[in-house]
Amino acid sequence: MINVNLGNAIKKYFEEVKGVYTISKINTLKQIQKFPIAKVSISNLRSIDISNHVNLRKNGSVRIHLTTVAPSTIQNELMQIRSILTHAMIMWDRGLF
């Protein structure tokens, strides 16, 4: 089983798919690397971690100077997280999930 946090998984993903995706996708993934969810191991990522991320983005946070975002932004981030997890499952460790 692979033991890497989401932030490092994004970094590894960038190295493997260099030049394949749009600036928009790259920027979204770089933004995700700055959030608390990026510190969670992808093999231990649970629905509560996703829920916490959604709530953080939906409600913002004064503590970390984060404003609220539109539901479409949250949906896009979740799709990008899913793409990282799918890539990891297929390319790095078939027994991940």
Side-chain angles (χ1 to χ4, degrees), residues 41-96:
S41 168
I42 60 173
S43 58
N44 294 326
L45 192 64
R46 302 288 178 247
S47 58
I48 189 68
D49 301 309
I50 301 294
S51 179
N52 288 342
H53 178 74
V54 167
N55 287 329
L56 176 67
R57 299 300 279 144
K58 180 179 174 184
N59 300 319
S61 172
V62 173
R63 184 177 56 85
I64 59 173
H65 309 288
L66 189 63
T67 59
T68 60
V69 295
S72 60
T73 299
I74 297 169
Q75 182 180 16
N76 182 45
E77 289 178 0
L78 295 178
M79 288 188 314
Q80 302 310 332
I81 291 170
R82 185 174 85 180
S83 73
I84 297 299
L85 298 176
T86 300
H87 182 86
M89 182 177 65
I90 293 168
M91 301 301 291
W92 305 337
D93 185 347
R94 294 189 187 276
L96 180 63

